[in-house]
Amino acid sequence: MQEFYKVLIVDDEMLIRQGIINYIEWENEGYKIIGEASNGEEAMQLMASDHPHILITDIVMPGMDGIELVKNVKEFYPETEIIVLSSFENFDYVKQTFQNGVADYILKPKLNTEELLQTLNRVTQSQKNHCQSMKHTLQ
């Protein structure tokens, strides 16, 4: 049985979430969408129950925004990789998300299948390398 990297999609715009979900043949690429949330509170509930490997999140959302979500995920689920999607090129947002440990930041207007797949593959390769180095350290 093939193992998939579990992915959680978080965006307050349903059309964006659906677009991302339908953008890629996820399972053919080694990923499985395990859920979607419209804000940070919903995302944290899904994090607790589903433990995704990768979180793809928007920044500007009602309630708990993406910056607060990133902080919480990195505090409670530090092994989860985070990719931020945003419509904003605001440097302060970008800087703040990277300071909180995100793997990458993609502008929504520039989002395409190839870029998202490249980012996902780079993130998962980084996870594999980290796991392998941990195994060597423990041996």
Side-chain angles (χ1 to χ4, degrees):
M1 187 173 112
Q2 182 180 359
E3 286 198 30
F4 295 100
Y5 284 97
K6 298 184 292 184
V7 180
L8 174 62
I9 309 292
V10 186
D11 197 301
D12 59 325
E13 296 178 56
M14 186 192 59
L15 290 175
I16 298 290
R17 290 193 315 268
Q18 290 303 307
I20 293 168
I21 290 168
N22 295 310
Y23 221 34
I24 295 173
E25 303 244 359
W26 290 93
E27 292 187 9
N28 290 345
E29 300 293 338
Y31 303 93
K32 184 172 184 75
I33 301 291
I34 52 99
E36 59 180 288
S38 62
N39 60 49
E41 289 91 355
E42 288 177 19
M44 288 304 293
Q45 290 173 358
L46 291 170
M47 289 294 301
S49 62
D50 297 327
H51 305 287
H53 299 104
I54 301 169
L55 174 72
I56 299 175
T57 185
D58 188 15
I59 287 286
V60 180
M61 298 180 287
M64 183 189 299
D65 68 7
I67 291 172
E68 192 65 29
L69 175 60
V70 167
K71 287 179 187 174
N72 285 328
V73 169
K74 283 302 178 183
E75 180 178 348
F76 296 108
Y77 309 96
E79 70 285 352
T80 300
E81 294 288 356
I82 303 171
I83 299 169
V84 171
L85 301 177
S86 183
S87 299
F88 297 96
E89 291 188 59
N90 183 317
F91 180 71
D92 290 334
Y93 276 131
V94 177
K95 183 178 170 188
Q96 207 167 351
T97 60
F98 277 105
Q99 286 173 337
N100 289 313
V102 302
D104 209 339
Y105 188 99
I106 302 173
L107 291 171
K108 284 182 186 178
K110 296 179 180 176
L111 182 64
N112 61 53
T113 304
E114 186 177 320
E115 181 177 10
L116 184 54
L117 271 176
Q118 285 176 351
T119 301
L120 287 163
N121 291 332
R122 187 174 38 74
V123 165
T124 54
Q125 188 60 47
S126 171
Q127 275 187 334
K128 285 179 195 172
N129 292 342
H130 179 74
C131 288
Q132 287 173 348
S133 70
M134 291 298 289
K135 284 180 187 175
H136 289 295
T137 303
L138 295 173
Q139 291 176 350

